[in-house]
Every structure is written in C-alpha cells, then in structure tokens.
Amino acid sequence: MAIYMPRRDKHNYYLDIADTVLKRGTCLRRNYGAIIVKNDEILSTGYVGAPRKRMNCIDLGYCLRQKLDVSRGQRYELCRSVHSEVNAIISAPRRDMIGATMYLVGREAGSGQFIKNADCCTMCKRVVINAGIETVVIRDDETNFRIINVQNWVDNDDLLENVDVNIGY
C-alpha cells in the first residue's frame, strides 16, 4: 500500500519554489527569492545578488551594510545587490506581468531562519507597481503567508506619510 503525502496548497507550492530560488542569493545578511506567476505558469525568478559581472558580497567576504551596522530597511544605496523582486521583474516582459502574482520568501543568511515581517522595500514596491503585478504573496513561516493586493501600495503611498506637502523650492 502506497503512502501519499498531503498535497501542498498552490500558494505554498510557489513559495517553496521561491525558497529554492533564494539559495542562489549572494548576500551575507538576508536572501530573498522571488517568482512571478501568471495563469499557473512561472514567468521568471529572481534572487539577491550583485549586478552581472560585479563581485558579490560572498566573493568579497564582507557586507558593507553589515560592517557599518546599518539597520534593516535603511541605506540601500550601500548594498551591492539587486533585490530579488527587481531581478525577477527585469527577466519578464511587462505585458506578461500585468495581473500576475509575485511570490516572495526571505531568509536570514546566517541562521537560515525566515525573515520576520518580510516585505518589499520602498523601491521594490515602486517597481512591482510599475510592472503591473497585482498580488504579492509573502511567506511568514513554512506554511503561513500574507497576501498583499498591490493596489493597497498605490492607495496608501508610504512616501506621502510624514511629508510636508508645502515644501518650497
């Protein structure tokens, strides 16, 4: 008699694939894997890594942001890497991404633990919006995830919070 494993739900199936993709990442702090899916077809994948032909942090043996003790979500201009979301987006035609879903998984490079409250950074949110992606699914742990409607990022523009709109030039 054959023993069957329970079938994985669709979201976790794609998140598992994104989790595998992140293993190509070259960041010494945090690695993310992203895949873009439309009509049950994977359009592209992306992981964290330096631009092509540039040295990665794992090649250099250090992370500048880590060396300078830069907090999460700050000073991304010091990072050598292109984020997984951007790498997935630049590998797919926009016409195919309109209405698609991005699956995103993040793990701490040192411990391999899932990143708590993982999310797209402000710059990646802008790129996701412009790509026409409709939904982002982010893994919290092995089976739990959050589903984000990208329209919420448009409607709740985080750059307008705490900004004085009467700034003169």
Side-chain angles (χ1 to χ4, degrees):
M1 182 171 158
I3 299 175
Y4 295 100
M5 292 178 53
R7 188 170 188 206
R8 196 81 155 134
D9 66 87
K10 191 71 69 131
H11 287 309
N12 274 304
Y13 166 73
Y14 288 125
L15 289 165
D16 290 345
I17 295 169
D19 196 21
T20 298
V21 170
L22 75 76
K23 293 175 183 168
R24 288 278 306 150
T26 61
C27 181
L28 293 171
R29 272 178 93 149
R30 293 178 185 91
N31 281 298
Y32 281 83
I35 65 169
I36 300 172
V37 176
K38 186 170 181 184
N39 299 326
D40 275 335
E41 182 178 342
I42 297 173
L43 301 177
S44 67
T45 67
Y47 55 86
V48 177
R52 287 181 175 92
K53 300 181 183 178
R54 283 194 175 177
M55 290 185 71
N56 291 296
C57 292
I58 60 171
D59 298 328
L60 294 170
Y62 68 91
C63 165
L64 182 59
R65 290 179 72 235
Q66 198 168 34
K67 238 182 189 181
L68 297 174
D69 198 32
V70 176
S71 298
R72 177 178 168 188
Q74 304 294 312
R75 306 287 319 267
Y76 282 123
E77 73 276 7
L78 298 175
C79 181
R80 296 193 61 78
S81 293
V82 176
H83 289 185
S84 63
E85 301 96 317
V86 174
N87 277 324
I89 288 168
I90 64 175
S91 295
R94 184 172 187 277
R95 69 180 174 276
D96 294 342
M97 288 186 287
I98 296 172
T101 299
M102 176 178 281
Y103 291 87
L104 184 66
V105 178
R107 288 187 181 264
E108 300 289 346
S111 68
Q113 297 296 312
F114 290 108
I115 296 171
K116 292 183 191 290
N117 303 314
D119 200 0
C120 296
C121 73
T122 300
M123 290 299 295
C124 286
K125 286 178 181 178
R126 293 177 195 170
V127 175
V128 167
I129 290 166
N130 270 6
I133 293 169
E134 188 172 285
T135 307
V136 177
V137 180
I138 303 175
R139 176 165 273 170
D140 290 323
D141 58 37
E142 198 62 43
T143 56
N144 295 300
F145 52 84
R146 287 169 281 129
I147 300 174
I148 298 162
N149 182 335
V150 173
Q151 185 63 43
N152 290 337
W153 292 344
V154 175
D155 296 342
N156 302 302
D157 187 341
D158 56 346
L159 292 178
L160 293 179
E161 296 174 12
N162 303 318
V163 175
D164 182 356
V165 292
N166 296 316
I167 296 174
Y169 291 95

